[in-house]
Amino acid sequence: MRISFSLPQVTAFVKVAETGSFTVAAKRLSVSQPALSRTIRLMEEAIGSRLFDRDTRNVVLTPAGDELLPIALRMVLEFDSAFGELAQFLGGQRGRVTVAALPSAAAVLLPQAIVRFQAAYPGVEVVIRDDLAHAVAASVADGIADLGLTVRPAEPGALSYRPLVSDDFVAVCRGDDPFAAMAEVGWRDFAERPFIAMAQTSSVRAMTNAAFLQTGLSPKQLYECSHLATTVSLVAAGLGVTALPNLTLPLVNAAGLITRPLKDPTMRRSIGVLTRGGRSLSPAALNFMNLLSDGNFRPVLPS
């Protein structure tokens, strides 16, 4: 025999069992007593056995009722627990936020944002995927990441972009390099210098290429590094100089290198939040994006 009760039926049964009174249970359930009696009667008909023995003064469980009660209590508890978890998710208090980010943005912008976010939402897990700009955009477009922290995509397609900070480029050299004695460096000063370049697929390389195009220069770009740490290490070894955005400066400073303002032209990339257009974010992801965009959150860029 297959028995199927609805949650309202189970809840009604539990309330009568807890109170020992149809009258009291009906009041607590905000239903009429005849309606409650009908609910219990339908349950009894479904199982072919009485659930309560009733007289004018007492309502007590039958053996069938005793057997059903722990099952019913477990059903009600699991339902309350499940919908309690749903309420926490809808309130942004539970869940996971996956952020794809440029390595420089992940290193400088995300840590302070995560500290503040987890103070407000300790039940939310934050996952970071640091990668190059095209991979960040692909992760967001494919739904692998909820948010992207990256440059404005050249071809956004179905992606939406919200600017966050501006990131100026600076010249990077060793302390004993001629650039270190200069107050500022122009892009033309790279003409006769070994220039250590980032990989063609990186957002940094796109900006340095644009700067050299504007100045009419075609310097030999060496090594084409995929990782900022490699670029910085090569400069530190005296193999050349480079140009990097401000967000990379913690890594540059850690290597003991010198930076100088880079002018003529001033190259500035926009770093912002990337999302899938027309797709709803989870409450937790929306809270994280709002924190990043909040006027109270002002990332302090290295200078």
Side-chain angles (χ1 to χ4, degrees):
M1 178 177 67
R2 180 179 177 82
I3 300 172
S4 179
F5 292 143
S6 69
L7 184 65
Q9 286 178 314
V10 172
T11 303
F13 165 76
V14 169
K15 194 61 65 177
V16 174
E18 287 177 344
T19 62
S21 167
F22 277 78
T23 302
V24 176
K27 289 181 179 179
R28 294 185 180 179
L29 292 167
S30 299
V31 299
S32 67
Q33 185 172 332
L36 178 58
S37 297
R38 184 167 57 253
T39 297
I40 299 301
R41 184 173 67 253
L42 290 173
M43 294 178 69
E44 292 174 333
E45 290 174 358
I47 65 173
S49 179
R50 293 179 65 84
L51 294 172
F52 297 99
D53 286 329
R54 287 158 275 191
D55 57 31
T56 56
R57 293 186 177 182
N58 300 301
V59 176
V60 295
L61 288 166
T62 65
D66 276 327
E67 187 71 18
L68 175 60
L69 183 59
I71 299 172
L73 287 170
R74 187 167 65 248
M75 289 176 63
V76 172
L77 181 63
E78 289 177 353
F79 180 86
D80 289 344
S81 175
F83 276 85
E85 291 179 5
L86 176 61
Q88 287 187 317
F89 175 83
L90 294 175
Q93 298 292 336
R94 290 176 60 90
R96 171 185 291 185
V97 180
T98 300
V99 184
L102 296 177
S104 55
V108 176
L109 298 181
L110 281 183
Q112 54 185 307
I114 292 172
V115 166
R116 187 173 157 195
F117 182 76
Q118 291 192 329
Y121 306 102
V124 178
E125 178 186 4
V126 179
V127 177
I128 300 174
R129 299 172 61 93
D130 53 344
D131 215 326
L132 299 180
H134 70 281
V136 170
S139 292
V140 176
D142 294 341
I144 297 171
D146 301 295
L147 307 171
L149 198 56
T150 184
V151 296
R152 186 189 302 273
E155 298 179 2
L159 298 175
S160 297
Y161 179 81
R162 180 183 297 186
L164 182 60
V165 295
S166 293
D167 193 18
D168 288 2
F169 274 64
V170 294
V172 181
C173 64
R174 286 176 26 142
D176 58 358
D177 189 273
F179 279 2
M182 301 168 63
E184 62 181 33
V185 176
W187 285 90
R188 291 184 180 278
D189 294 323
F190 288 115
E192 304 301 326
R193 302 300 307 277
F195 186 86
I196 299 174
M198 294 294 296
Q200 291 280 2
T201 52
S202 74
S203 61
V204 171
R205 180 62 177 272
M207 295 293 291
T208 57
N209 282 351
F212 289 136
L213 183 63
Q214 288 186 47
T215 55
L217 297 178
S218 298
K220 184 177 181 180
Q221 304 198 50
L222 306 174
Y223 306 112
E224 301 200 353
C225 310
S226 295
H227 300 284
L228 286 166
T230 306
T231 302
V232 170
S233 295
L234 293 175
V235 174
L239 294 173
V241 293
T242 193
L244 294 173
N246 267 321
L247 284 180
T248 66
L249 295 197
L251 187 62
V252 170
N253 294 339
L257 298 177
I258 302 297
T259 63
R260 290 293 178 262
L262 194 47
K263 306 296 182 181
D264 301 323
T266 295
M267 298 303 294
R268 179 177 294 124
R269 64 176 186 172
S270 172
I271 300 293
V273 182
L274 201 63
T275 57
R276 283 194 292 174
R279 298 296 296 270
S280 298
L281 292 172
S282 71
L286 182 60
N287 287 341
F288 194 88
M289 184 179 72
N290 288 339
L291 182 148
L292 288 172
S293 305
D294 187 350
N296 294 324
F297 175 68
R298 296 294 186 191
V300 179
L301 299 186
S303 59

